[in-house]
Amino acid sequence: MKNTFLGLIMLFFSFQSNAQQITWQCYNVVIDNPAAFTAVWDDFMQTDIGKSMSANAIFQFDFASSEFSSTHQVCWFSDNPADLEENFIKFSNAKTMNTAGIWETWNEEVEQESAILGQSLIADPAGFDLQFAVVYSINVKDPGTYAAAFTEMKAAAEASNGGQGTLELHEVLAGGEPGVTHEVIVRAPSMAEWLANRNQFFASKEFQDFTKKVRPISEVLHIQTGSPVKFYNVQ
């Protein structure tokens, strides 16, 4: 079964400044009863184990192709990779002890499709509260050239949308789809605003210059959209 990324991760990454690098791990899952799962996760996050974990979030996928069956992502993220290792141990222990009913719920309501590890390369905290995200899964053959072109394009795109959207670049380290090396995440307050800004910017000289630079060294493999359900342990 093919993976989908967060990523949407992604809004998770919004917590970083440009000087920080956020490491994230996401489970792509099929949840039969999202309301029931979220209620149990709420209770779990109020336990001592839950409170001791790093920032985490539940995301839902809104638009995806028939290749992808996951309905949600459960993601942890931190600027300290050691936190993610501790999360893994804590979550395993919590499931073993069925803390707040998490083991029973995970077994009955959740089908895990994949687990993905990644890190942010270029991200902006300004998009924390944006409610619509588009995730482009990309194969990049020359990361340095792509990042330089992306930085220029990002500045032009965000200048053109009046502060109503952000762009991020992430590296997929393990667990991604075959061929996927990076993710570009575009966020906006709504699907309508993203679409209006997209159509306008795609016609711009700045975007045309970007595509000329990256077309020989990259390929977009998948596109999904999603939105955050709830964040936890965010300071």
Side-chain angles (χ1 to χ4, degrees):
M1 193 67 65
K2 288 194 171 182
N3 308 332
T4 47
F5 177 4
L6 87 143
L8 305 171
I9 267 133
M10 224 208 151
L11 309 232
F12 30 135
F13 312 121
S14 302
F15 298 104
Q16 78 172 86
S17 71
N18 290 331
Q20 292 177 308
Q21 185 170 64
I22 297 298
T23 303
W24 46 264
Q25 77 180 55
C26 290
Y27 294 118
N28 291 318
V29 295
V30 178
I31 299 179
D32 294 331
N33 188 335
F37 176 80
T38 302
V40 171
W41 200 262
D42 285 346
D43 291 341
F44 174 52
M45 284 295 111
Q46 292 303 311
T47 66
D48 290 340
I49 293 179
K51 291 179 180 178
S52 70
M53 289 182 166
S54 68
N56 60 92
I58 301 171
F59 303 94
Q60 67 181 28
F61 292 104
D62 298 324
F63 295 96
S65 73
S66 59
E67 298 174 289
F68 301 96
S69 59
S70 296
T71 60
H72 293 76
Q73 277 191 330
V74 179
C75 297
W76 283 270
F77 38 99
S78 175
D79 58 1
N80 181 2
D83 291 343
L84 300 187
E85 291 184 299
E86 293 180 8
N87 288 340
F88 184 82
I89 295 172
K90 292 173 183 178
F91 189 50
S92 296
N93 291 339
K95 287 191 293 184
T96 300
M97 296 183 293
N98 198 28
T99 304
I102 194 63
W103 173 251
E104 181 180 356
T105 301
W106 192 270
N107 279 345
E108 295 181 358
E109 303 289 346
V110 176
E111 178 183 353
Q112 183 175 320
E113 297 285 311
S114 61
I116 304 175
L117 179 67
Q119 62 185 3
S120 63
L121 299 177
I122 301 171
D124 189 340
F128 166 75
D129 59 351
L130 298 178
Q131 294 299 298
F132 183 77
V134 184
V135 180
Y136 298 85
S137 300
I138 304 172
N139 176 270
V140 177
K141 299 178 178 64
D142 184 342
T145 299
Y146 191 96
F150 178 86
T151 300
E152 294 180 2
M153 184 271 292
K154 169 183 166 68
E158 294 178 356
S160 71
N161 65 27
Q164 296 302 304
T166 63
L167 288 82
E168 298 172 358
L169 177 63
H170 301 267
E171 182 181 10
V172 178
L173 301 174
E177 287 302 307
V180 175
T181 61
H182 294 74
E183 301 283 347
V184 170
I185 301 171
V186 182
R187 289 204 288 269
S190 68
M191 182 182 71
E193 293 189 58
W194 163 74
L195 189 58
N197 290 329
R198 170 198 180 277
N199 292 344
Q200 178 180 355
F201 187 66
F202 272 26
S204 69
K205 180 181 183 301
E206 291 82 0
F207 185 76
Q208 297 305 316
D209 289 344
F210 170 73
T211 58
K212 289 178 182 178
K213 293 176 182 177
V214 302
R215 186 178 291 119
I217 60 167
S218 66
E219 180 184 3
V220 176
L221 302 179
H222 308 288
I223 304 174
Q224 300 93 36
T225 75
S227 53
V229 176
K230 195 167 184 178
F231 289 91
Y232 302 87
N233 297 349
V234 177
Q235 303 301 321

